[in-house]
Amino acid sequence: MTKRREQVTIVSIGHVDHGKSTLIGRLLADTNSLPEGKLEAIKAYCEKNAKVFEYAFLLDALKEEQAQGITIDAARCFFKTDKRDYLIIDAPGHFEFVKNMITGASRADASIIVIDAKEGIRENTKRHGYLLSILGIANVCVAVNKMDLVNYEEKIFRSLQEEYTGFLSSVGITEVSFIPISARNGENIVHRSENLRWFSGRTLLEEIEQWKLEDESPKKDFRLFVQDVYKFTEGQDERRIIAGTIDYGEIHVGDRVVFSPSGKKSHIETIEIFPHSLERAYAGQSIGLTISDNFYYVSPGELLSKEGEKEPYVSKRFLAHVFWIENAPLLVNKPYQAKIGTQNVVLRITNIQKVIDSTDPQNITNKDKLERYDIGVCVIENTKPVVFDAGKDFKKTARFVIINEYHISGCGIILEPLEDKFVSLEEEIAKREKLWEKGYISKEKREKRNQHQGKFVLLTGQNSKKIQHIAKLLEKKLFELSKNVYFLSLNSIAIGLDQDLSFVETNQRYEEIRRLGELAHILTDAGLIFISYLSYIEKHEWEILKLLNTPYEILTIGIGIAPLPESDFYTLCYPEKIGDEEILKGIINTLADKEVITLEYYL
């Protein structure tokens, strides 16, 4: 069996002009990782244009970078040693580009922090260190660069080492190595420096080669976020290929896997990696999977684990460290789009337990918002159940980024799950019930006048035409029985009340459901029998409707294949082929049995 090659992602960070790009360029050149002739071509270009060659030019592939003379985006490059394959990400050091650093660091296994020996530690150097702590990146090496500019003086190196070790320790990074280097001269990168003979430690390459990776053990429980699902039709190929990158552990053909948060289970039928099929795959590999239950609809964003191993958490709420970088503050209860693995979710901070200064961890304050570069310990609630791990167990599947109006505005790591409930929604409903301004007509008087109770009747099923038809027939039948009844579809709400949601993509479905629930509450409170239908509904959406309709109950009718697996949600269930009249009879008799309406005769 071929021995697996380890794959390591390193993010290189540090303040602007401290020499990250030069360090990486030197690392590529000295490990012979550059395409043949590239180094010579760039040197020739510099000579032709009377420009002093720098190793940083090797990374300046972007035209805009060359025009501005600064690195403006995260550059990615690869190099190999006998032991491992490395992806190294050069994250810009400008304050304005911390978000790019987050993008790189969110998937990193390790980090090299670069500090200019002459300029010393800057505020951004501290923020970068704190960010590594938040994201749980364990392997950290500090390269003290430009030692040639300080005459290779040991006392300068030791002074920076002492100062920055103290800061990193205060934010929880205790396992860290320091190496004095000169990236420009190639000293202590791959080759030892004659000018730094007082340093007896490893070179930078020796240091990163000995790093132990969190996911390198095949005994680590399996984790793979579904990136996408592909279906090939050529040659009557009916397979659905589930694509993603393994974050932890390994998988074998025949293993039984669990998809979360859906809870679906199946066996691995094949493991595909172009152009071959494999019997097993392991952490770091990007693969395609087919499963034995090919009829399953699997969504991007599901997290695969193996049955019998520790399963990830599925919850609407969790406690997390959040690092905020946007000019506009992060506000409590404002909805934000977020990405956890490949999941796109909508979250809101419901409580900020404390706020920490990213350059001074001892400076802790109590604020009701996070301002730029603040770090908060926050309670976060999502509009639907999400899948994740706790950072102490699996760091990669516990990290997340927060997106505000299409821009990365913050990041964080999940500390622990919290009780799985819509706390903020329950609080809103409690407030609504307490402050609702009621008229002089009581519920009992309305029922006496109407001669029936108010009720929300919800029909669900995959055949939208059929349930729409039944819902309208039900309204007609009850109207003929002299009941105050009203039918309203989600489509009608969309072209009226929900028109302003057209551009609020991050929270649209949640807001549609929330408004339907509020409408249902108002109309049933007014004494009407309110009828609507949803061809597709998930459990958490039904729970939102149930909460919003408080104190009234929902009469839920499932027709055809029930989209909700829990039969408890349904008052009545009917197979799709059953006749319309029989369904109507069942619903009306149930309304009578529950004393919502009275009938002079049963149908």
Side-chain angles (χ1 to χ4, degrees), residues 49-106:
N49 292 276
K51 196 172 183 178
V52 178
F53 170 77
E54 293 184 20
Y55 281 89
F57 294 164
L58 294 167
L59 302 186
D60 288 342
L62 299 173
K63 292 180 180 178
E64 197 172 355
E65 283 188 32
Q66 292 175 340
Q68 297 187 17
I70 59 171
T71 308
I72 63 167
D73 203 345
R76 295 165 179 264
C77 51
F78 300 87
F79 72 95
K80 290 184 178 181
T81 65
D82 292 339
K83 183 178 180 181
R84 289 168 168 163
D85 297 335
Y86 291 93
L87 165 63
I88 190 161
I89 302 170
D90 178 25
H94 302 262
F95 276 25
E96 290 73 13
F97 300 136
V98 173
K99 61 185 67 178
N100 300 84
M101 184 244 170
I102 291 173
T103 306
S106 62

Side-chain angles (χ1 to χ4, degrees), residues 406 494-506 508 512 515:
Y406 307 104
I495 59 175
L497 186 64
D498 286 349
Q499 268 199 342
D500 62 316
L501 296 184
S502 300
F503 301 102
V504 191
E505 296 177 3
T506 56
Q508 183 165 337
E512 286 175 346
R515 293 186 187 191

